[in-house]
């Protein structure tokens, strides 16, 4: 992820150099200000990260981890890896995948419930 950010930063810097801008003008193309698209990209990325942190670290994630602990016991540690929430006429259904691990094994525990 960091490498991709470094690569994109380098690309933006290279495309903003004077010879590239002069070539755009010589070709009859507009030179566009890239600050707005970059700011929007950063804002959307941060919003996505915030959503994921909220979803995988919220009350539903804790419930999924508790349900997995009821299945396997206390000798494991638990972390919610993914969650699917579907709303319909019968209510809201939640299914999650919880990783359970200890010194010996790593197990994927699927859990689901209706709200």
């Amino acid at each position: 992820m960091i490498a991709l950010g470094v690569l994109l930063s380098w690309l933006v810097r290279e495309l903003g150099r004077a010879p590239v801008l002069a070539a755009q003008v010589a070709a009859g193309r507009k030179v566009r200000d890239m600050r707005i698209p970059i700011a929007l990209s950063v804002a959307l990325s941060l919003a996505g990260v915030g959503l994921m942190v909220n979803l995988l670290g919220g009350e539903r994630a804790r419930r999924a981890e508790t349900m997995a602990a009821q299945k396997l016991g206390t000798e494991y540690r638990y972390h919610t890896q993914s969650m699917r929430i579907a709303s319909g006429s019968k209510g809201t259904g939640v299914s999650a995948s919880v990783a359970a691990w200890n010194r010996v094994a790593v197990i994927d525990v699927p859990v689901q419930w209706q709200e």
Side-chain angles (χ1 to χ4, degrees):
M1 220 41 194
I2 293 174
L4 180 61
V6 169
L7 179 64
L8 288 175
S9 296
W10 172 80
L11 181 63
V12 167
R13 189 187 70 193
E14 289 297 312
L15 291 176
R17 293 182 65 202
V20 175
L21 297 176
Q24 282 183 331
V25 170
R29 299 185 71 165
K30 282 187 186 179
V31 176
R32 301 190 186 272
D33 184 10
M34 294 303 293
R35 289 180 292 187
I36 292 174
I38 290 171
L40 286 174
S41 298
V42 169
L44 286 173
S45 297
L46 291 175
V49 168
L51 178 66
M52 292 304 295
V53 166
N54 188 27
L55 182 65
L56 295 177
E59 181 181 329
R60 287 179 172 147
R62 283 190 297 278
R63 181 174 179 183
E65 291 166 10
T66 301
M67 291 175 74
Q70 289 172 349
K71 287 182 180 181
L72 296 179
T74 58
E75 67 263 8
Y76 289 92
R77 294 181 61 195
Y78 300 94
H79 177 72
T80 304
Q81 292 181 319
S82 66
M83 191 173 297
R84 175 180 284 171
I85 302 167
S87 296
S89 61
K90 295 182 180 180
T92 301
V94 181
S95 61
S97 175
V98 179
W101 71 95
N102 62 15
R103 301 182 119 210
V104 178
V106 177
I107 302 170
D108 183 39
V109 183
V111 294
Q112 57 186 3
W113 68 91
Q114 285 291 120
E115 293 183 338

